[in-house]
Amino acid sequence: MARVLVVEDDQFVRSALIRHLTEASHTVRSVGTALEALREVAHLGFDVVILDLGLPDLDGAEALKMLRGITQVPVIIATARDDEAEIVRLLNDGADDYLVKPFSVEHLSARMAAVLRRAGTGAGTGAGTGADRAIRAGGLVIDPLRRQAELDGRALDLTRREFDLLAFLAQRPGVVVPRRELLAEVWQQSYGDDQTIDVHLSWLRRKLGETAANPRYLHTLRGVGVKLEPPRE
């Protein structure tokens, strides 16, 4: 089961989350401020953080950016805000998923399970499965089990979302993956702004030493989708 940090200042919501997660056999710690959350994450290991946006000392969006400066632990945003532009901005800033309050415990459990699967923590990620084997595409070597990637023997410093996107495309070499499928499989979202994908593709291209105008591995077909194809030497 997962080690969960709940960051929530509403005592009623906080207690309900702790009770539900504990009953589901997770190990739970909870704090009520952003600064406490940063201290907890800096000193203890967690599998997932559930982060409220309306914190008393610091807005959750700023807390998310600070968390991303010290850890790649999966973060699920819990918010009463349902503005699509803000949700996309949070995803671009490193959130792994979001839930709009009020939400059911079943909904939270499903989102947590999906995020943990993507992070290689939850059920179904045991060693020895096909998904754990190294993926090779040209000079790219991607190890899903260790969540490491190399290009021409050089380790790539990827964020968790960048790694997920690269690995997903590399598992389908030469196949054009529609943007909607990328949002559903990599971001676990049924809808979103294309900017979400474009931003991460831009970061990935920079780390792969290529550009959209001169691609080597990542090829965008306008209006269709994205494919990863090794360069022909």
Side-chain angles (χ1 to χ4, degrees):
M1 292 294 102
R3 295 161 296 175
V4 186
L5 176 64
V6 173
V7 188
E8 170 65 65
D9 69 317
D10 185 307
Q11 192 58 52
F12 177 79
V13 175
R14 187 171 164 183
S15 297
L17 288 174
I18 293 170
R19 182 173 64 254
H20 163 68
L21 293 169
T22 302
E23 288 173 353
S25 300
H26 298 297
T27 301
V28 186
R29 290 180 66 90
S30 66
V31 295
T33 69
L35 292 180
E36 288 176 311
L38 291 167
R39 281 195 293 268
E40 289 284 308
V41 168
H43 293 96
L44 299 173
F46 293 97
D47 296 314
V48 63
V49 174
I50 300 172
L51 176 65
D52 178 39
L53 291 184
L55 299 173
D57 59 335
L58 191 65
D59 185 79
E62 291 301 316
L64 172 64
K65 293 179 183 178
M66 295 174 73
L67 282 170
R68 279 292 166 258
I70 60 174
T71 181
Q72 290 302 316
V73 63
V75 176
I76 299 176
I77 298 293
T79 175
R81 309 171 195 174
D82 59 359
D83 178 69
E84 182 177 346
E86 181 169 14
I87 289 169
V88 170
R89 186 163 55 251
L90 289 166
L91 293 171
N92 287 337
D93 285 342
D96 295 270
D97 205 343
Y98 71 93
L99 284 167
V100 177
K101 297 176 181 178
F103 50 80
S104 67
V105 292
E106 292 79 14
H107 195 174
L108 172 61
S109 293
R111 293 298 185 96
M112 275 185 57
V115 164
L116 291 170
R117 282 196 302 271
R118 297 301 304 172
T121 305
T125 59
T129 67
D132 288 339
R133 292 194 292 267
I135 305 164
R136 299 177 184 274
L140 271 174
V141 180
I142 302 166
D143 187 335
L145 184 60
R146 295 180 176 82
R147 297 189 62 82
Q148 296 174 349
E150 294 182 354
L151 176 62
D152 300 329
R154 175 179 56 85
L156 295 173
D157 182 16
L158 303 179
T159 67
R160 207 170 58 77
R161 187 72 78 190
E162 290 167 358
F163 181 90
D164 290 343
L165 177 58
L166 183 64
F168 186 81
L169 291 170
Q171 288 168 344
R172 298 154 181 78
V175 175
V176 179
V177 182
R179 288 170 175 266
R180 181 173 296 181
E181 184 177 347
L182 288 175
L183 283 171
E185 296 297 331
V186 179
W187 276 266
Q188 302 292 320
Q189 303 296 325
S190 58
Y191 71 93
D193 194 318
D194 280 357
Q195 182 186 4
T196 302
I197 298 173
D198 290 336
V199 167
H200 286 82
L201 282 173
S202 176
W203 291 339
L204 260 181
R205 284 192 172 108
R206 190 177 309 146
K207 293 177 181 181
L208 293 175
E210 62 181 65
T211 65
N214 187 25
R216 293 186 65 232
Y217 285 90
L218 300 176
H219 302 263
T220 300
L221 280 72
R222 190 176 297 276
V224 183
V226 184
K227 70 175 179 178
L228 186 147
E229 195 165 55
R232 293 176 182 156
E233 301 299 342

